[in-house]
Amino acid sequence: MSANGIFRLEALAVRLIGMLLGLGMIVMVAVNVANAVGRYSGLFALVGADELLVYGMIWIVMLGAILAARDRSHLSINLLPSAVSGRSATALQIGIGLVTVAVCAFVAWQSFDFVQRIASLNQASMGLGIPMVVPHSAILVGFGGIAAVTAVLTALDIARFASAEEVSD
Amino acid sequence: QDTMKLASATINDVQHEWQKEFQKEMEARVGDALTVEIYPASQLGAIPRMAEGVLLGTIEAFTTPTAFVTNVDPRFQAFDMPGLFSDADEVSAVIHDPEFRDYLETLFLDKGLRIVGAIYNSPVLMLSREPVTTLDGFDGLKVRTFASPLQMQPMSAIGANPTPLALSEVIPQLQSGGIDGMLAGMPILTAFKFYDTAVNVTDINMSQIVSVTVVNETWFQSQSDDVKTAILEAGRAAEETVFPWGVANVERANGAWLENGGTIHMLPADEKAELQETFARVGNEIIDSQPDVAEVRDRIAARLKEVRGE
Amino acid sequence: MTWVLSIAIAILTALGAPIFVALLAGASLALLLFPGPPLIALHQTIFGGLDAYALLSVPFFVFAGELMAISGIANRLIGLVRALFGRVPGSLGLAALGGSTLIGTICGSSAAAVAAVGRNIHPQLIDNGYGKQRAAGIITSSGAIDIVIPPSIAMILYGASAEQSIPKLFIAGIVPGLVIALLMAGYISTSAAIARIPRQARFQAQAAFVAFRQAFWALTMPVFVLVGIYAGLFSPTEAGGFACAYALFLGFVVYRTITFPAMLEAAVRSAMMTSRIMMVVAAAGVISWILTVEGIPQALIQATADAGLSPLGFLLIVNLLLLAIGCVLDPTSAILVLSPLLVPIAISLGIDPIHFGVVMTVNLAIGMFTPPFGLNIFVAQSVLGARTADIYRGVLPFVAVQICALAFITLIPGLSLWLVDSMS
Ligand code: NA
Ligand code: NA
């Protein structure tokens, strides 16, 4: 596939995940309202609505975190980054990127271990009875995704840093 | 030197008392060969996290009412069958019977859990905003239950409207009338000072809460034989010691409830009998559909027959 | 171990690494270098940090704030405040404070309030000459009131772990919450007057009436949410969902200002904001867990207990301790871990446990926006697009103001207890 094709595919994936997050938020509002209305009216009880909402939120948080890693928009104290510029800024960004990849890959690895073990124990949730692998996998996907996205971004940074060496400074 | 983190969701109740007793017993038996650290009041996380923690070994032991671990193994439901035990002495006669206790200790080994404590907790009552003194009083009442058939279906059967709700929402909803009542044991009701929110308790004696301490079997097997023996002995010694404490604690809680302006209602004798009968019938129906749970219930029922001299 | 943890976290955050990365790097290093709990505890405590029903108020109120912005509800409300009180120095700053206090009466999470109010009022603060620092300071510090004014997740947790009456705690929080709001209002207004921030033209009944008519439906939104909570239609956590639903109703049906694509876009932005906030919450949960199993908070409290202090001395030490702990622990974990340990000491010194609960809550609320660490700071930075340096400088006077309030609340137990006593 051409580089252009990859970029377009990536843009499509980002859009799709974004839409999924937005629709997820709207569905959560609907479930939340329906649950309260059912309880107040005494007409129906949505057993497990609280689980659905919390697990939904966890998935939204983790998928959103991958997109935030791609935008480099995670919460941080930007005192130093906003004080430096040029090559030192790129170097700082590369350093932070490498730490992020290492930490998130490590968490994803531990998460993989955890998810495997919880799967073998056949745990189901209390209210909905869904396998606990489903909500727990969000952590694995989220941290795995952050590590992967950040690895690509950092690789691009390094390439830029190296090629700029011959031109500037 | 190894550490045993012993977690629970509550504090200053019979579970916490068992943990303190167990800690003392262990110190007397093995000194500092094992350090027992107690983490009450959900300090190590919410109940489902503590259950997973002990399954996967991030914490070594967890003390909990059986109703909170039925998703770990459905067989824990057997203890929460409505109408099964009639009082504390019956619970004690079953769970402290050496033969049954041996059976219980290893019942969940296939899940990687060993039971090292079997603790009488308290009867399940109903708290409500308005007094409920007859069977008719349950009609249409929105009662907070666990999202478990063993609590929901018996409540439906007597005309109430079972309403599962997150624990953090219970008090605001009870205050505003979003729910009319909840199922709970008296020690919980007084510990959280529920009498400031609603003053009526109906003694429905739905079931008797049994708490267990489960320990991660892999961790347990990694200990020396001396420590293993000590854990088993200390657990059983502690549960015998705290049984009278637990019974007295329920009495104390009842007293505190009355002292703080609460009331405890009884149904008329014939209606109470009808209630117990309905509870037992619905409970049996639910459990009969799960053969492995029924097997545990039958063990309990058989022992109860002996106790009752039937 | 604590040193490795804190140094790693401090260096990485100072370098500008994402907060959650810094926290998890510290946690991973601590777990790797000092054998103890198995490494999968990382996953378990991250998941545990997110798996809490009460946290749902964060996504819902963030979304409600977005919807209030795109539907024009927020602008109409702000327009009304300005038409009514535009002559008062700092009126727009007071509107931000009032907005936070109002959201505080319907929600128990201050990060959500910072996001919702910041999204709506910050641009106007900047346009009206408040300057980056003052605007950021007002928004970041106002949200803290939310966990003091009922309903409050922090107080529910304190009640549960310290075995205190939650309704009494809620009542006890009302006056201290208002004391904080009043002191804040006094400071905002006075400092705006000193800084000569331009005021509106003189009050005109005609203009006020027009603004009221324009804001009428928007005004029904907080009314709807408050009535819904106190009539038992929905719980405080569910209130966020209903706030979204009502804002959608106003936007789609009444004002016809929202389109489906705009709603979806707002939902995506809210999801992203929620995600950024919750990643920090989850990572802070890991740190809390490690500190707890290492016995750090327990040791600090033991040292406090052994010092043989007077009740007042104890309260002062506790204030310092909690402000410091508020830097690293989130209020939820801090309360769960600390209150079972601190409350027995407080009671033995004759301090009323309800008063003590209010003192703890106010402390942790202040800790959430006291530099260098604090969830509200990170949220504000992300919502307002402000620089950390501006937020740090902006919040400092408000830290001072709220510590003053804390001193009153600590020294005068009556502020917390008077309403409780008069109601029972
Ligand atoms: Na609040
Ligand atoms: Na802080």
Side-chain angles (χ1 to χ4, degrees):
Chain A
M1 195 186 286
S2 69
N4 209 350
I6 293 176
F7 282 130
R8 257 190 280 162
L9 201 65
E10 196 255 7
L12 185 70
V14 168
R15 257 184 75 80
L16 279 179
I17 297 177
M19 292 268 272
L20 195 65
L21 294 180
L23 291 174
M25 281 294 293
I26 293 165
V27 169
M28 278 172 62
V29 170
V31 171
N32 183 47
V33 169
N35 183 39
V37 169
R39 185 183 60 238
Y40 186 73
S41 64
L43 291 178
F44 55 93
L46 295 180
V47 177
D50 51 344
E51 277 179 7
L52 184 68
L53 288 170
V54 172
Y55 297 160
M57 175 179 73
I58 293 175
W59 267 102
I60 286 180
V61 167
M62 286 300 150
L63 291 179
I66 302 175
L67 296 191
R70 181 186 169 276
D71 305 341
R72 302 194 201 260
S73 65
H74 272 290
L75 302 181
S76 64
I77 294 182
N78 55 15
L79 279 176
L80 188 63
S82 56
V84 295
S85 61
R87 285 182 59 77
S88 21
T90 312
L92 183 60
Q93 198 167 48
I94 290 172
I96 291 172
L98 291 175
V99 173
T100 304
V101 172
V103 169
C104 293
F106 182 68
V107 172
W109 172 36
Q110 295 310 322
S111 185
F112 180 69
D113 191 5
F114 186 99
V115 168
Q116 258 187 332
R117 288 161 75 172
I118 208 86
S120 69
L121 287 166
N122 283 324
Q123 290 294 291
S125 75
M126 211 77 158
L128 290 174
I130 58 165
M132 284 308 289
V133 176
V134 175
H136 277 293
S137 302
I139 310 294
L140 172 59
V141 171
F143 280 90
I146 297 170
V149 165
T150 312
V152 172
L153 289 178
T154 308
L156 292 175
D157 281 342
I158 293 173
R160 213 153 37 90
F161 190 79
S163 66
E165 194 143 1
E166 294 136 32
V167 190
S168 69
D169 270 310
Chain B
Q1 177 202 341
D2 214 339
T3 307
M4 179 181 189
K5 294 189 288 296
L6 188 47
S8 74
T10 49
I11 191 165
N12 300 334
D13 66 339
V14 69
Q15 299 189 142
H16 192 200
E17 191 67 19
W18 180 91
Q19 297 184 330
K20 289 189 279 192
E21 202 57 44
F22 175 78
Q23 190 180 39
K24 264 189 253 166
E25 294 277 353
M26 283 304 289
E27 217 172 297
R29 282 179 167 78
V30 296
D32 51 11
L34 181 75
T35 313
V36 177
E37 289 176 352
I38 301 176
Y39 296 92
S42 295
Q43 287 180 10
L44 294 187
I47 288 167
R49 297 292 82 69
M50 289 190 277
E52 283 169 3
V54 72
L55 278 169
L56 299 181
T58 53
I59 57 178
E60 287 74 30
F62 173 35
T63 308
T64 177
T66 51
F68 290 128
V69 279
T70 54
N71 62 329
V72 170
D73 191 315
R75 288 174 295 174
F76 279 112
Q77 289 175 91
F79 298 91
D80 295 304
M81 198 194 92
L84 183 62
F85 299 107
S86 61
D87 58 26
D89 287 331
E90 286 198 353
V91 174
S92 171
V94 173
I95 63 176
H96 300 148
D97 169 53
E99 198 187 327
F100 184 85
R101 188 62 178 75
D102 288 344
Y103 163 74
L104 184 62
E105 180 183 316
T106 54
L107 188 56
F108 301 98
L109 279 190
D110 58 335
K111 289 282 159 39
L113 298 179
R114 182 183 292 264
I115 292 195
V116 299
I119 308 152
Y120 167 72
N121 193 316
S122 56
V124 173
L125 313 170
M126 187 185 74
L127 171 75
S128 58
R129 285 158 57 92
E130 302 297 329
V132 175
T133 52
T134 63
L135 273 183
D136 293 342
F138 292 97
D139 254 358
L141 217 58
K142 275 180 242 172
V143 182
R144 189 260 179 176
T145 62
F146 297 143
S148 133
L150 278 178
Q151 285 206 334
M152 294 183 72
Q153 290 183 20
M155 289 314 281
S156 293
I158 58 169
N161 202 340
T163 312
L165 190 68
L167 184 62
S168 59
E169 310 282 274
V170 168
I171 284 191
Q173 286 283 73
L174 207 51
Q175 269 183 313
S176 63
I179 54 171
D180 304 307
M182 75 180 291
L183 297 181
M186 190 57 99
I188 291 289
L189 293 180
T190 50
F192 291 165
K193 301 193 169 46
F194 268 96
Y195 40 71
D196 288 334
T197 314
V199 293
N200 298 290
V201 161
T202 304
D203 181 11
I204 58 172
N205 201 25
M206 186 169 179
S207 59
Q208 303 284 329
I209 302 170
V210 175
S211 290
V212 290
T213 298
V214 287
V215 61
N216 180 291
E217 176 67 6
T218 313
W219 174 84
F220 179 80
Q221 290 303 340
S222 74
Q223 301 301 305
S224 70
D225 287 343
D226 288 350
V227 170
K228 279 193 253 186
T229 312
I231 290 174
L232 298 179
E233 288 177 0
R236 294 199 188 194
E239 68 194 44
E240 302 272 357
T241 319
V242 300
F243 175 70
W245 190 95
V247 173
N249 189 45
V250 172
E251 287 302 312
R252 270 195 299 276
N254 285 339
W257 185 257
L258 298 174
E259 254 170 54
N260 285 283
T263 49
I264 302 176
H265 306 289
M266 306 295 278
L267 297 178
D270 56 328
E271 293 200 350
K272 186 162 186 182
E274 193 186 329
L275 187 75
Q276 295 297 316
E277 208 177 296
T278 311
F279 282 164
R281 176 175 54 76
V282 178
N284 275 317
E285 277 168 19
I286 297 167
I287 287 182
D288 285 340
S289 66
Q290 300 162 276
D292 51 342
V293 185
E295 199 184 306
V296 182
R297 177 207 50 197
D298 293 345
R299 284 288 292 248
I300 299 173
R303 173 72 190 133
L304 275 174
K305 250 186 178 164
E306 287 170 35
V307 175
R308 290 168 182 161
E310 287 169 11
Chain C
M1 160 140 194
T2 323
W3 285 110
V4 170
L5 196 76
S6 22
I7 290 173
I9 294 172
I11 291 179
L12 284 170
T13 41
L15 287 175
I19 308 291
F20 83 91
V21 171
L23 294 172
L24 291 177
S28 305
L29 273 182
L31 285 175
L32 281 170
L33 295 178
F34 303 89
L39 293 170
I40 52 166
L42 269 176
H43 169 105
Q44 214 207 342
T45 47
I46 290 172
F47 187 86
L50 296 173
D51 181 22
Y53 184 78
L55 284 178
L56 280 170
S57 63
V58 174
F60 286 148
F61 276 100
V62 168
F63 191 25
E66 281 286 336
L67 291 172
M68 285 175 78
I70 64 165
S71 62
I73 295 173
N75 273 338
R76 286 167 199 259
L77 288 175
I78 295 168
L80 177 65
V81 172
R82 304 191 66 193
L84 292 175
F85 307 110
R87 281 297 286 166
V88 179
S91 60
L92 205 52
L94 295 177
L97 176 69
S100 288
T101 311
L102 199 60
I103 290 188
T105 59
I106 55 183
C107 119
S109 145
S110 57
V114 171
V117 174
R119 170 79 170 82
N120 285 298
I121 303 191
H122 186 254
Q124 306 228 19
L125 286 171
I126 298 291
D127 288 349
N128 284 275
Y130 278 71
K132 285 181 189 166
Q133 292 178 10
R134 187 189 307 270
I138 292 173
I139 302 275
T140 312
S141 58
S142 295
I145 300 173
D146 275 42
I147 62 168
V148 184
I149 291 181
S152 154
I153 296 165
M155 283 185 182
I156 291 177
L157 293 172
Y158 175 84
S161 58
E163 303 198 331
Q164 295 306 315
S165 161
I166 294 165
K168 278 188 183 166
L169 283 164
F170 277 6
I171 295 170
I174 295 174
V175 176
L178 293 176
V179 167
I180 298 174
L182 271 177
L183 284 182
M184 291 275 292
Y187 176 77
I188 290 173
S189 197
T190 316
S191 67
I194 293 171
R196 298 186 182 281
I197 288 170
R199 285 191 251 171
Q200 294 269 287
R202 135 221 298 276
F203 177 80
Q204 284 178 315
Q206 177 75 27
F209 181 72
V210 170
F212 176 76
R213 236 186 31 202
Q214 282 178 344
F216 176 78
W217 280 101
L219 274 174
T220 60
M221 182 172 163
V223 174
F224 166 77
V225 174
L226 284 177
V227 169
I229 289 179
Y230 291 104
L233 171 58
F234 42 75
S235 69
T237 308
E238 286 166 342
F242 276 84
C244 294
Y246 198 74
L248 284 171
F249 164 73
L250 291 183
F252 272 114
V253 179
V254 179
Y255 293 138
R256 297 172 186 256
T257 40
I258 300 189
T259 58
F260 188 80
M263 173 181 78
L264 191 59
E265 232 176 87
V268 176
R269 276 197 303 274
S270 311
M272 294 298 296
M273 176 51 61
T274 303
S275 177
R276 295 186 197 108
I277 296 173
M278 299 298 243
M279 288 302 281
V280 178
V281 171
V286 180
I287 301 294
S288 304
W289 194 87
I290 292 178
L291 292 180
T292 307
V293 299
E294 288 303 317
I296 309 295
Q298 295 89 326
L300 279 176
I301 283 164
Q302 194 54 49
T304 312
D306 294 343
L309 296 160
S310 68
L312 194 59
F314 171 74
L315 281 172
L316 288 178
I317 293 287
V318 165
N319 282 340
L320 292 176
L321 189 73
L322 288 175
L323 283 175
I325 282 177
C327 283
V328 277
L329 293 198
D330 60 303
T332 313
S333 324
I335 284 183
L336 284 179
V337 175
L338 300 177
S339 48
L341 304 165
L342 282 174
V343 172
I345 310 177
I347 291 177
S348 72
L349 288 171
I351 299 166
D352 185 283
I354 297 282
H355 174 221
F356 189 68
V358 175
V359 171
M360 263 188 94
T361 309
V362 174
N363 251 305
L364 294 166
I366 298 175
M368 289 186 80
F369 68 91
T370 308
F373 291 92
L375 189 57
N376 293 6
I377 295 177
F378 308 137
V379 172
Q381 183 185 305
S382 170
V383 181
L384 315 180
R387 295 189 326 147
T388 311
D390 288 332
I391 297 183
Y392 279 3
R393 291 206 196 94
V395 293
L396 282 182
F398 294 100
V399 171
V401 168
Q402 294 208 15
I403 285 180
C404 264
L406 174 64
F408 284 129
I409 293 162
T410 306
L411 295 174
I412 314 172
L415 291 177
S416 311
L417 298 177
W418 170 73
L419 212 51
V420 178
D421 292 341
S422 64
M423 284 181 80
S424 55

